[in-house]
Amino acid sequence: DTGVSQNPRHKITKRGQNVTFRCDPISEHNRLYWYRQTLGQGPEFLTYFQNEAQLEKSRLLSDRFSAERPKGSFSTLEIQRTEQGDSAMYLCASSTDRVFSGYTFGSGTRLTVV
Amino acid sequence: AQRVTQPEKLLSVFKGAPVELKCNYSYSGSPELFWYVQYSRQRLQLLLRHISRESIKGFTADLNKGETSFHLKKPFAQEEDSAMYYCALSPPGANSKLTFGKGITLSVRP
């Protein structure tokens, strides 16, 4: 297991197009989180899953954003009708549900909307 | 509402100097508090958490509930400490969502 894997590393898309990112967590981790980070800011929470159940969604996650985690393994984050304001680094992290276990982050997917 | 404030964006010190990275938080209750670090071209990783009261790479952080602060300290900075540091909190008792501060760049000069 090489840790949390995110694909693609970089994505450039035209405004209005749809994009999908993938995250493969550490195999024994049942929790998976998505964060967004823009320049000069810390990561901002988007949503998280426990197994296949999406437990919480941020108000940042507009109707154009959808996340899934079928079968409780990998997760996808889709952005429909991208806007320039969606340009950011999208980070995935995973953890167990044991208290104080901490997160393991992926390297992120950098999205640029032109 | 929960909030983490890191009042400074950049701290530049010489090797061997003491370091204090400030973090203040707002939370109605007793949150879990963390420091995360991101070295150049590496992933964000956990540096330390308040509950474990440990020292990692010479860094310590003390939770001051009265001042709602969780400052990160190191008595003698090393060049390899140069990185981006984020303070974060989460609700108690679970690995749920983290709320991060904006981060501070620590630059340690030779």
Side-chain angles (χ1 to χ4, degrees):
Chain A
D1 195 330
T2 57
V4 177
S5 177
Q6 290 189 247
N7 288 287
R9 292 292 301 274
H10 304 275
K11 178 72 176 178
I12 300 174
T13 191
K14 291 184 178 179
R15 189 174 54 188
Q17 297 294 305
N18 299 344
V19 294
T20 300
F21 311 140
R22 177 177 170 126
C23 173
D24 288 89
I26 291 174
S27 55
E28 60 266 28
H29 284 180
N30 57 353
R31 288 194 173 183
L32 186 148
Y33 314 79
W34 285 100
Y35 284 79
R36 181 173 68 186
Q37 186 173 21
T38 54
L39 197 62
Q41 302 293 320
E44 296 173 295
F45 171 79
L46 293 179
T47 188
Y48 88 99
F49 294 83
Q50 170 123 346
N51 301 312
E52 66 275 11
Q54 189 171 18
L55 295 189
E56 187 172 348
K57 290 170 60 173
S58 164
R59 285 173 291 177
L60 289 175
L61 215 63
S62 76
D63 291 344
R64 297 184 297 105
F65 288 70
S66 62
E68 294 182 341
R69 194 183 181 198
K71 303 178 183 178
S73 56
F74 71 92
S75 176
T76 58
L77 177 68
E78 181 184 16
I79 308 174
Q80 297 182 325
R81 304 181 302 282
T82 52
E83 302 172 355
Q84 287 189 322
D86 297 331
S87 296
M89 176 73 85
Y90 290 84
L91 295 169
C92 177
S94 68
S95 77
T96 69
D97 57 359
R98 291 196 301 270
V99 178
F100 313 138
S101 65
Y103 286 19
T104 300
F105 277 88
S107 297
T109 294
R110 181 168 295 285
L111 173 66
T112 302
V113 181
V114 297
Chain B
Q2 54 197 46
R3 186 167 59 247
V4 175
T5 302
Q6 294 181 253
E8 299 156 333
K9 288 188 176 182
L10 170 67
L11 179 64
S12 183
V13 301
F14 285 106
K15 177 182 173 181
V19 166
E20 182 179 62
L21 306 182
K22 297 186 187 302
C23 173
N24 290 89
Y25 67 91
S26 173
Y27 186 83
S28 55
S30 297
E32 304 289 344
L33 285 153
F34 307 87
W35 277 97
Y36 278 79
V37 61
Q38 188 166 26
Y39 301 102
S40 180
R41 302 179 191 277
Q42 293 188 27
R43 305 175 184 204
L44 195 59
Q45 58 186 282
L46 178 65
L47 179 62
L48 55 77
R49 55 201 184 210
H50 89 275
I51 197 71
S52 58
R53 297 180 178 274
E54 56 196 346
S55 173
I56 303 292
K57 299 184 179 183
F59 284 98
T60 58
D62 290 322
L63 176 59
N64 185 322
K65 292 185 178 180
E67 295 182 357
T68 59
S69 68
F70 188 56
H71 302 328
L72 184 68
K73 299 178 183 179
K74 185 169 183 177
F76 306 104
Q78 302 300 312
E79 289 179 67
E80 55 265 29
D81 296 328
S82 296
M84 192 78 179
Y85 291 80
Y86 295 95
C87 183
L89 69 77
S90 73
N95 284 319
S96 60
K97 69 179 183 183
L98 284 170
T99 298
F100 286 88
K102 292 186 177 182
I104 180 170
T105 300
L106 173 63
S107 173
V108 182
R109 293 170 286 172

